Amino acid sequence: MVRQGPPPPQAVRGHYDFVVVSNRLPVDRTTDDDGGHGWRRSPGGLVTALAPVMAGHDGAWVGWHGAPDETLEPFDNENMHLVPVPLSSDEVELYYEGFSNASLWPLYHDVIAPPEFHRTWWDAYHQVNMRFAEAVATAASEGATVWVQDYQLQLVPRYLRQLRPDLMIGFFNHIPFPPPEIFAQLPWRQSILEGLLGADLIGFQRPNDTSNFLRCSRRFLGATVKARHVNLESPGESQPRASRAEPFPISIDVGRIQELAVRPDVIARAKQIREDLGNPKTILLGVDRLDYTKGIPHRLKAYGELLHDGLIKVEDASLIQVASPSRERVESYRLLREEVDGMVGRINGQYDTMQNTAIRYLHHSYPVEEMVALYLAADVMLVTALRDGMNLVAKEYVAARVNNTGALVLSEFTGAADQLKAALLVNPHDIDGLKETITKAIGLRPAEASRRMRAMRRQVLDHDVQRWSRDFLSTLAGMAAERSHGRDAEQPSGL
């Protein structure tokens, strides 16, 4: 259970009527030529979706600014009021690298890697979550809307509800939510569920994630669940408080991707990429964080066997694998990098020629302009994650294919598979099936490729990240209106 202390003090009200809470602030620190420091907006769909909402309201964003052992005062950047939450080096190690990414991340991704459970990690997690909640409680105005983001902050809704019962609180889980059979392993499972149920509206990527959460609430808390509403009796409350759980699949900034896809310099860069690879008939592309959930070794194994079987020739096809660095201080990630490095080396050593490279392996992060150029250069996109909440790379590839060409090989274990049904869906654990699907993608007739891509583009263009945020926030606003109407109806006439 969440540890209970003395009743929380009355929080000082702020004047921000819309507050976003995430582990990181939506800015990165910059250094100019003279050594001066500044801030620039971080890339990413979440910032793109919520910046206009914040500009239209009196909005604030609460999060860590990225540097441990440093305390900053709140500041403004590009029409956003930013409230930094300080973290010590120990807290980064225990709360973030430990509990968030070595306990929760593998547990929520079907225990592809074994999760570790340590009480010191849990202690740091709930202490940091309380600090985030206190920062929000101080920034939010009376009756404000608060939107908490992702698995690092699952206790914030409950703590915030205790501090500020006047707030409307939403929570969105960007990663999968596990079934009860897996979630049962977590020693603090009840506390996590109670933390989430502090929110009025809890959003998930897929209907299955929503169902898993509802089943866990019923099984581990004894909550009453009906029509995606969870009623949980809490000490000190005369009536059970209801929370609502719904799927809200996240998407991308479609307009930005399409704008870049028709820009002459980006098109020229795509052509240059093909020329640098010797203009092969087929370029295949994988773009992932270097994470064990992404299925990169499965993809490389299948590709290596296709070369061995002679179904792909290095003179005709090349695989570009972008694997951006991720959590390199965590042991499982260090071991994964060694595995991938070794596989790429063996395949290239066996099949490279003086003119051709089997796999162009890029262990870097790239700006969005370069990513769109890669999407334009690639004939086949390989998204073979073993488990993924959504996978926005698949949607970015589709959005970039403005001429309705190309093929998407998509793991059925991604959230994107629910929306992109015209992709070539595959079980990445089935290496033979993966090989067959890659071969089919390479040989796909232009008419069929165009039909599939048009269907996927319709879905992505109609459901961009702005629609995602509108859908969530309008649902939360509707709940607030219903609650206000219910309170008004309870007042005696004449008051």
Side-chain angles (χ1 to χ4, degrees), residues 80-120:
M80 290 191 293
H81 183 71
L82 304 178
V83 182
V85 176
L87 295 179
S88 68
S89 296
D90 285 345
E91 286 169 337
V92 172
E93 179 181 350
L94 300 174
Y95 143 79
Y96 181 70
E97 295 175 352
F99 194 77
S100 295
N101 290 320
S103 298
L104 294 177
W105 179 269
L107 184 78
Y108 283 29
H109 286 84
D110 291 352
V111 292
I112 294 168
E116 299 179 41
F117 304 118
H118 301 289
R119 286 169 289 180
T120 53

Side-chain angles (χ1 to χ4, degrees), residues 15-312:
H15 64 272
Y16 296 97
D17 58 17
F18 178 60
V19 182
V20 177
V21 197
S22 62
N23 177 63
R24 286 292 301 270
L25 287 174
V27 291
D28 297 316
R29 181 175 263 149
T30 61
T31 305
D32 58 29
D33 294 337
D34 298 326
H37 294 294
W39 301 93
R40 64 163 176 250
R41 184 183 294 185
S42 306
L46 184 62
V47 184
T48 300
L50 297 183
V53 182
M54 302 191 77
H57 296 74
D58 198 0
W61 198 305
V62 175
W64 180 45
H65 64 283
D69 303 315
E70 179 183 49
T71 300
L72 298 180
E73 292 299 317
F75 61 97
D76 294 323
N77 180 270
E78 295 188 21
N79 299 318
M80 290 191 293
H81 183 71
L82 304 178
V83 182
V85 176
L87 295 179
S88 68
S89 296
D90 285 345
E91 286 169 337
V92 172
E93 179 181 350
L94 300 174
Y95 143 79
Y96 181 70
E97 295 175 352
F99 194 77
S100 295
N101 290 320
S103 298
L104 294 177
W105 179 269
L107 184 78
Y108 283 29
H109 286 84
D110 291 352
V111 292
I112 294 168
E116 299 179 41
F117 304 118
H118 301 289
R119 286 169 289 180
T120 53
W121 292 1
W122 167 248
D123 290 342
Y125 184 82
H126 80 75
Q127 288 165 9
V128 169
N129 272 239
M130 175 58 83
R131 189 178 308 147
F132 272 80
E134 290 169 344
V136 176
T138 303
S141 65
E142 181 74 21
T145 295
V146 178
W147 197 359
V148 186
Q149 305 290 329
D150 222 0
Y151 65 104
Q152 302 96 342
L153 303 176
Q154 291 176 107
L155 302 181
V156 167
R158 177 181 172 88
Y159 290 146
L160 191 55
R161 179 69 59 197
Q162 294 170 340
L163 292 168
R164 293 287 305 276
D166 58 292
L167 300 176
M168 283 300 296
I169 303 171
F171 181 93
F172 186 75
N173 197 60
H174 290 256
I175 67 173
F177 196 89
E181 295 76 18
I182 290 178
F183 191 72
Q185 297 180 34
L186 183 64
W188 307 280
R189 61 199 185 193
Q190 291 176 297
S191 296
I192 293 292
L193 293 171
E194 290 171 343
L196 291 170
L197 288 169
D200 297 283
L201 178 63
I202 308 158
F204 298 94
Q205 298 280 25
R206 310 179 78 172
N208 280 350
D209 298 322
T210 307
S211 175
N212 287 342
F213 172 75
L214 296 173
R215 291 166 60 207
C216 286
S217 297
R218 184 186 294 114
R219 176 171 168 181
F220 300 120
L221 295 180
T224 302
V225 177
K226 184 176 181 180
R228 291 180 172 170
H229 286 73
V230 182
N231 289 280
L232 182 65
E233 294 185 7
S234 299
E237 295 185 9
S238 58
Q239 296 292 331
R241 204 184 60 79
S243 299
R244 178 174 168 184
E246 294 281 352
F248 293 93
I250 199 170
S251 193
I252 61 170
D253 184 4
V254 173
R256 175 64 168 154
I257 299 296
Q258 291 203 120
E259 173 192 333
L260 291 172
V262 297
R263 226 170 67 179
D265 60 320
V266 176
I267 294 172
R269 175 59 184 148
K271 182 179 179 182
Q272 183 64 49
I273 290 170
R274 294 193 73 96
E275 291 175 354
D276 290 346
L277 292 173
N279 282 316
K281 293 179 182 177
T282 304
I283 292 179
L284 301 97
L285 175 64
V287 175
D288 312 89
R289 283 188 310 104
L290 190 56
D291 190 290
Y292 50 78
T293 64
K294 301 299 183 180
I296 299 174
H298 298 66
R299 183 183 313 157
L300 296 177
K301 181 176 178 61
Y303 192 73
E305 289 188 10
L306 287 170
L307 287 166
H308 178 269
D309 298 342
L311 298 174
I312 291 178

